[in-house]
Amino acid sequence: MVGRRHAGRVAVVALVAGLALSGCGAVSNPGAAATVGDETISVSYLQKQSRDILAKAGRSDLSDSESTKLQSDLLQQLVDDALIVPTARRAGVSASQADIDQVKSQIQSQRVVIPPDMLDGFARWVVLRRALNTKLLGREPASQQDQAKADQLVGREMAKTAKQVGVRVNPRYGTWSGGAVKPGGQLVTPGPTATQAPAAPQMP
């Protein structure tokens, strides 16, 4: 199974169910929600994912605070999706397409609310995160204590990657601090569905 700790990384799952670095920077491109190294996560792409989440969940009545948190959580996951790949590469682990497809099937069977455009990246994140847990801990986590230690180790490695490649967040969405997107910017409300879908971030 995908597991709660993995599916829960897209925090909107909890939202619709009820209805790990110092340094920060701001993007200079107003059309970018965030940049991770040379990769750009566009505002239009992030807003499309927000609309898709709400459509799949049948929600249209989010408060400003809920909408802000939704976009912040989605942006965090997209940044993590980008950071996990070079982090895994440095650790010498990889994700096979078969493993990714298996996780995608598990996600779909569990009806986890994830935008279709984010499914591949999220499934790859799950596979690579599991591999990193085992590689860095030296064994598969067998207890809550093991998992907590693995999370700490992976967080450190992702922090190193973020420092190497650079992560910048559009001030409208907050700031990048402590390995996370810290909300605090002005709410960016998803606009009407565009006639042409924005391109997804390109992963290495």
Side-chain angles (χ1 to χ4, degrees):
M1 296 181 65
V2 175
R4 242 189 252 177
R5 68 175 180 274
H6 297 305
R9 287 294 289 113
V10 177
V12 72
V13 173
L15 171 66
V16 298
L19 5 285
L21 180 110
S22 61
C24 60
V27 297
S28 57
N29 177 4
T35 60
V36 182
D38 295 332
E39 179 183 332
T40 297
I41 301 168
S42 71
V43 170
S44 59
Y45 180 76
L46 179 62
Q47 291 181 345
K48 180 180 183 298
Q49 307 320 304
S50 298
R51 289 193 299 268
D52 287 351
I53 278 281
L54 296 178
K56 287 175 71 68
R59 290 293 307 271
S60 60
D61 58 345
L62 296 190
S63 66
D64 284 354
S65 62
E66 286 177 318
S67 186
T68 299
K69 178 169 174 50
L70 167 59
Q71 293 182 57
S72 177
D73 288 341
L74 286 172
L75 184 57
Q76 178 71 59
Q77 185 61 49
L78 288 167
V79 170
D80 285 350
D81 287 349
L83 287 176
I84 197 79
V85 175
T87 301
R89 186 182 301 124
R90 286 194 300 106
V93 299
S94 60
S96 70
Q97 190 59 51
D99 288 339
I100 293 173
D101 290 342
Q102 182 180 34
V103 170
K104 285 171 61 178
S105 295
Q106 292 171 355
I107 291 171
Q108 291 166 332
S109 67
Q110 294 175 35
R111 298 184 179 180
V112 177
V113 181
I114 295 176
D117 290 348
M118 290 180 63
L119 183 56
D120 283 341
F122 182 59
R124 179 178 56 189
W125 182 90
V126 171
V127 174
L128 291 177
R129 183 66 188 242
R130 288 172 174 170
L132 282 167
N133 284 347
T134 301
K135 177 67 178 288
L136 298 177
L137 189 65
R139 61 184 183 280
E140 289 189 11
S143 65
Q144 290 185 343
Q145 290 78 10
D146 279 354
Q147 188 59 54
K149 179 63 175 177
D151 288 343
Q152 184 180 48
L153 293 171
V154 173
R156 288 176 182 173
E157 291 305 308
M158 290 188 69
K160 292 178 183 178
T161 301
K163 188 173 182 179
Q164 288 176 353
V165 304
V167 176
R168 294 181 179 276
V169 173
N170 190 315
R172 290 182 293 175
Y173 291 99
T175 58
W176 177 257
S177 178
V181 177
K182 304 293 186 182
Q186 180 183 359
L187 172 68
V188 182
T189 304
T193 302
T195 56
Q196 182 176 2
Q202 295 299 310
M203 302 297 183

